[in-house]
Amino acid sequence: MASARRRGALLVALSTSALTCIISPANAQSEAPAPAQAPVPQQATIDTTEIIVTARRRSETLQSTPVAITAINTAMLENKAAVNIGDLQGTAPGLLITQQNSGAQAANISIRGLTYADVEKSQTPTVGVVVDGVTIGTNTGQLQDAFDIAQIEVLRGPQGTLFGANTIGGVINITRTKPTMEPGVKAEFTYGRWNTWAGKAIVNYGDGETWGIKGWYFHNESDGFYYNAIRDTRAGGSKGDSYGASLLFEPTGSGFDAQLSVENVVQSFEPVVSNLTNSTEMFCGLIPANECNRNNTTDLYTVFTLPAKSKYRAPNATLQMNYDLGAVKLSSITGWRHSKEKQTQDFDGSSTDLYYVDRRQKYTQWSQELRAAGNLFTGFDYVVGAYYFHSKYDLTQWTRFFGFDPSVPPMEFDQNAQTNLGKTTSYAFFGDFNWAFADKWRLSFGGRWSHDNKKLTNSFARDGLIGSGDANFTKFTPKIGIDYRPSNDVMLYASWSRGYRSGGFSPRAATADTASTPFQPETVDAYEIGAKLAAFDKKLEINLAGYISDYKDMQQNLTVPGGPLGNQTITGNVPGGALIKGIEMDATLRVTPRLTITASSAYMKSHFRNFVTDGAYNGLIVPFDYSANRLIYAPKFTGSVNADYTVPTSFGKVVATAGWRHISPYDEQISQASLTPVTDASGTVTEVIVNGNDPRVRTTTQDLVDASLTVNFDIDDKEAYVRFFGRNLLNEKTTTHAFTVAGLFSFGMALEPRTYGATIGVKF
């Protein structure tokens, strides 16, 4: 009996060889979010009251843009000494950004409850991260450094008519600073808790008129905030370097500009997980008693994992060109990104060698976007464009399952490693139009035609080809909206848009049929109404939005029969989908020229509709009903308040900031808390009701308090500063990612605890 259970467990584990990054799923861990593009703030200000954004590929004031955009001040990231964009979490309504260490720079991003937390490169992100106009094609690489940022825009809702890649949930649009064309230097050094330190430097040079060059270097390392009780040492350490150069060319009077940026990102870190296995799971009987039945708060920070290492290298290049012909402006964005990863990881989270993997993969993407923008006639403007994207990747994973001997490398233990070879080719045409058809009224409309080709080959080293697939997906997604401006201080708007996420093939399929059968695209119909209000000479600005997202054909990871071990994990569609409703607010109050208060809040209500899929119960495959489960990364309420106070001094100025972010509990995986079988008159189980997600994958309520004090010194034409900062000052402890594995074991990753430090810097 024990050996049968062990064989079954082995099959599940091997058939989910991508376990390393899943956060989703129905019977075996699945989760399907949807991407879209959401408005984000840009940080270029005309004066103290006007913020200019380019979320719609036009330069507009934030308050005149008829979409849900939150303007996030990038100075906030500097004041927190933030290492990456994860510190944006909770600052924009409905925005979550958490880290997953199953891949380098891997992020779980959710906007308005739409997310997809899977690092497999055959899967498309639901929320797009766009850096200098180039979309990052996988969840790996999305957790961008919070360094040298000129502006960030967070766009909520489908945005397929304006950005190159199609995203169904939202977009985080990041723009790095341009070369200044003048000699200049910015450098700083930060030291903080956990022996964390960072050095940053940006050097500019140019002729002041037609050309400029910028070089940068960023180094960051830490001993990590985990403690490994087996090795009696700090764990989760990391080290990263980012360096590159950008050349800007703007011939005077030509209307032409070109910017070429080349960068390399090199990272190494120790991927550790916290043990969440309990007595209901098989591995609990194989590990020391003190490593089982641990809590998902304070216990997270003590780990028992075997040594592991991740190495990541990701060079990239971007060429942006613009040519202003007067009547029309032409733009071209060419992007290339490549990554190479080598990662070992002890996923069972215990000192016993039960589930250890070695993953090697390469990924390359090319993209080209062409746009034309202008005015057809007075009151009618347009943006039209075409987009091309191509990516390819290969992944090989060796698994040491029930090895009980850490000295044997996974590549020697596993003679039947699983390999994926995948390709994606996409092209699209899109247009977005504004027509001021009457006084104070404007109609916005547009659409996108997308075509995607997905190819995936799945095989084992010894058993050979499992199967391969090649499929095409085509979709037209429209958008329409209307806005009314009774005065300069009031704008009302309403819109409908459809988001689309391509289908594809399952990287964990274990039979020829499932490996060659594609899962289908998913769509979201997003309905939104909003208001943007200003009062007291724009000292107070309030933006309100209400929305309904109708999520159809949701992609989820499902457990079905088949494969050498009897079952397998594939990606499938849940036709019932989900319904998500919410209201959002963000506001700015300029109390005095020295004191500014910003606030945001979001209330969201969501539920699955007819989420039924096959699952295994007592050796039989029967329908499992997950309709009562919560959507993942979909907190009911988020809110934030931030205050900035500036005091002029005889030597410069002092800036004090304090912020509070509240995030209600949310689930991180579709899983099983308990099961209720439904039987017919003969006693045969006809259906199983899943009574919610496992409570171990639910976060606690988070009240995150951050503060900083910056003292600026003006020394002739130079500026020096000293900053003292603290993050998570209330020392909240919970998971950022948690996962249960088919009755075998469970693991999680922890929120950074209370952290503090100081920064010194200089600019000239």
Side-chain angles (χ1 to χ4, degrees):
M1 178 73 160
S3 62
R5 289 178 61 196
R6 185 169 297 182
R7 271 197 312 274
L10 174 60
L11 273 142
V12 171
L14 291 179
S15 66
T16 59
S17 67
L19 178 164
T20 68
C21 1
I22 338 182
I23 281 192
S24 2
N27 195 329
Q29 50 285 359
S30 149
E31 123 191 355
Q37 284 168 292
V40 185
Q42 287 191 359
Q43 213 177 306
T45 58
I46 295 178
D47 56 36
T48 57
T49 62
E50 298 283 10
I51 297 177
I52 303 301
V53 297
T54 58
R56 301 196 309 149
R57 300 305 196 192
R58 307 161 174 89
S59 293
E60 306 172 288
T61 65
L62 177 66
Q63 294 304 105
S64 67
T65 306
V67 291
I69 299 181
T70 300
I72 300 172
N73 188 345
T74 53
M76 176 201 72
L77 297 175
E78 293 185 352
N79 290 336
K80 291 182 179 181
V83 175
N84 55 57
I85 63 171
D87 277 301
L88 292 177
Q89 167 153 301
T91 56
L95 172 66
L96 296 181
I97 306 176
T98 59
Q99 185 172 6
Q100 179 184 166
N101 69 15
S102 298
Q105 286 191 323
N108 300 328
I109 305 178
S110 172
I111 294 178
R112 291 181 171 177
L114 298 179
T115 186
Y116 194 74
D118 195 325
V119 299
E120 295 306 324
K121 291 178 172 52
S122 60
Q123 312 290 29
T124 303
T126 55
V127 174
V129 173
V130 179
V131 181
D132 287 338
V134 176
T135 300
I136 298 173
T138 69
N139 283 19
T140 301
Q142 285 192 325
L143 200 69
Q144 288 286 300
D145 294 335
F147 172 58
D148 191 29
I149 291 177
Q151 53 194 21
I152 296 180
E153 303 176 357
V154 178
L155 299 83
R156 306 192 293 277
Q159 307 292 325
T161 63
L162 286 168
F163 283 83
N166 211 345
T167 55
I168 201 170
V171 163
I172 298 176
N173 188 29
I174 301 171
T175 303
R176 304 289 182 181
T177 63
K178 289 182 175 292
T180 63
M181 296 188 175
E182 301 282 355
V185 174
K186 177 182 178 181
E188 64 179 44
F189 177 83
T190 298
Y191 186 81
R193 196 179 183 193
W194 323 115
N195 194 30
T196 299
W197 67 273
K200 309 176 183 180
I202 304 173
V203 178
N204 275 281
Y205 189 75
D207 67 354
E209 242 180 89
T210 61
W211 69 272
I213 187 168
K214 178 187 73 172
W216 69 89
Y217 179 79
F218 171 36
H219 176 86
N220 183 82
E221 67 176 76
S222 173
D223 289 348
F225 54 75
Y226 294 94
Y227 170 71
N228 190 301
I230 303 301
R231 290 181 279 148
D232 189 26
T233 185
R234 297 236 65 82
S238 63
K239 181 170 67 174
D241 294 277
S242 174
Y243 51 89
S246 184
L247 174 65
L248 177 63
F249 180 55
E250 292 182 343
T252 305
S254 67
F256 175 79
D257 67 81
Q259 182 178 355
L260 174 65
S261 300
V262 180
E263 179 187 26
N264 192 22
V265 176
V266 180
Q267 289 188 343
S268 63
F269 63 94
E270 181 190 13
V272 299
V273 298
S274 306
N275 199 329
L276 295 178
T277 302
N278 66 21
S279 298
T280 67
E281 295 168 307
M282 177 180 167
F283 281 19
C284 195
L286 302 172
I287 64 178
N290 67 310
E291 299 177 20
C292 190
N293 296 311
R294 300 176 64 79
N295 68 45
N296 62 350
T297 54
T298 55
D299 285 348
L300 293 170
Y301 300 86
T302 299
V303 297
F304 310 93
T305 52
L306 301 172
K309 189 78 170 178
S310 177
K311 293 183 178 180
Y312 173 72
R313 182 177 293 270
N316 62 85
T318 302
L319 174 62
Q320 301 181 70
M321 296 185 291
N322 299 286
Y323 191 19
D324 192 344
L325 299 173
V328 61
K329 181 177 181 180
L330 304 177
S331 300
S332 169
I333 303 175
T334 306
W336 172 80
R337 300 183 67 89
H338 176 75
S339 64
K340 184 177 181 180
E341 299 172 68
K342 174 183 176 182
Q343 179 162 329
T344 57
Q345 192 157 7
D346 181 10
F347 272 103
D348 60 81
S350 73
S351 58
T352 306
D353 182 31
L354 299 174
Y355 192 99
Y356 193 96
V357 302
D358 186 334
R359 290 166 58 88
R360 312 284 177 95
Q361 56 188 318
K362 296 178 182 177
Y363 171 83
T364 304
Q365 70 170 62
W366 279 96
S367 63
Q368 176 64 56
E369 183 174 353
L370 299 173
R371 293 196 310 269
N375 296 286
L376 284 182
F377 52 82
T378 302
F380 190 101
D381 65 76
Y382 67 89
V383 177
V384 296
Y387 179 73
Y388 172 81
F389 176 90
H390 178 76
S391 70
K392 62 180 181 179
Y393 86 98
D394 62 82
L395 162 69
T396 302
Q397 176 170 308
W398 294 266
T399 303
R400 191 173 65 224
F401 192 75
F402 287 141
F404 298 103
D405 186 357
S407 67
V408 179
M411 296 177 71
E412 293 182 14
F413 183 90
D414 185 2
Q415 299 299 308
N416 202 30
Q418 187 168 1
T419 299
N420 289 155
L421 299 174
K423 288 185 179 180
T424 296
T425 302
S426 303
Y427 49 89
F429 301 94
F430 56 88
D432 190 81
F433 309 90
N434 286 328
W435 179 30
F437 64 93
D439 183 36
K440 302 178 181 179
W441 290 88
R442 181 172 60 173
L443 180 68
S444 301
F445 59 96
R448 175 191 181 94
W449 182 86
S450 303
H451 177 82
D452 302 285
N453 174 258
K454 295 287 186 77
K455 297 178 180 178
L456 185 67
T457 299
N458 197 342
S459 60
F460 285 114
R462 184 180 62 213
D463 296 342
L465 178 68
I466 299 172
S468 62
D470 185 339
N472 294 296
F473 309 94
T474 302
K475 187 74 173 178
F476 176 73
T477 50
K479 177 180 182 179
I480 188 167
I482 191 168
D483 61 81
Y484 171 61
R485 308 175 191 221
S487 72
N488 290 333
D489 294 331
V490 177
M491 182 180 72
L492 308 175
Y493 70 90
S495 68
W496 166 76
S497 60
R498 175 166 291 165
Y500 159 81
R501 184 163 173 249
S502 172
F505 294 90
S506 304
R508 307 171 186 103
T511 65
D513 179 59
T514 55
S516 59
T517 302
F519 55 88
Q520 297 304 306
E522 59 183 11
T523 61
V524 167
D525 284 302
Y527 306 86
E528 182 175 323
I529 58 173
K532 299 195 174 187
L533 314 170
F536 310 116
D537 195 24
K538 296 188 177 180
K539 289 183 173 61
L540 174 64
E541 293 177 340
I542 300 177
N543 300 331
L544 304 169
Y547 66 89
I548 297 175
S549 298
D550 186 0
Y551 195 179
K552 299 173 182 174
D553 295 318
M554 176 185 297
Q555 295 169 9
Q556 291 285 323
N557 287 343
L558 312 172
T559 297
V560 298
L565 297 175
N567 56 42
Q568 58 187 317
T569 298
I570 66 169
T571 305
N573 296 90
V574 180
L579 190 67
I580 306 171
K581 304 175 182 178
I583 54 175
E584 301 168 336
M585 179 278 296
D586 63 283
T588 299
L589 175 61
R590 300 173 180 90
V591 181
T592 70
R594 299 181 182 180
L595 176 61
T596 300
I597 298 174
T598 58
S600 71
S601 64
Y603 176 81
M604 180 167 53
K605 189 174 182 180
S606 60
H607 66 273
F608 289 113
R609 294 176 304 199
N610 193 31
F611 184 177
V612 179
T613 184
D614 286 340
Y617 186 79
N618 289 340
L620 301 175
I621 300 299
V622 296
F624 272 57
D625 189 344
Y626 286 84
S627 301
N629 288 44
R630 298 185 184 185
L631 274 70
I632 62 172
Y633 292 93
K636 183 171 287 187
F637 179 78
T638 61
S640 69
V641 178
N642 195 83
D644 294 85
Y645 187 64
T646 301
V647 180
T649 65
S650 59
F651 52 80
K653 63 182 178 181
V654 176
V655 180
T657 69
W660 165 74
R661 293 172 288 153
H662 175 86
I663 305 171
S664 63
Y666 59 87
D667 291 357
E668 299 158 309
Q669 182 204 8
I670 302 299
S671 53
Q672 301 170 358
S674 62
L675 304 177
T676 301
V678 178
T679 59
D680 58 17
S682 65
T684 301
V685 176
T686 58
E687 184 182 34
V688 173
I689 305 299
V690 181
N691 302 307
N693 295 320
D694 192 306
R696 290 172 295 173
V697 304
R698 184 169 304 132
T699 70
T700 61
T701 299
Q702 299 176 58
D703 287 295
L704 306 174
V705 175
D706 310 306
S708 70
L709 182 69
T710 304
V711 182
N712 296 272
F713 302 89
D714 294 331
I715 307 170
D716 297 327
D717 60 345
K718 302 176 180 63
E719 178 184 341
Y721 52 92
V722 178
R723 178 180 299 120
F724 304 94
F725 63 88
R727 295 193 300 267
N728 189 11
L729 293 175
L730 297 182
N731 206 27
E732 296 281 4
K733 295 184 176 181
T734 188
T735 54
T736 60
H737 170 62
F739 202 64
T740 64
V741 187
L744 301 177
F745 62 98
S746 299
F747 62 89
M749 298 163 196
L751 176 72
E752 179 187 58
R754 181 187 296 120
T755 302
Y756 43 80
T759 297
I760 57 173
V762 62
K763 295 187 235 180
F764 58 88

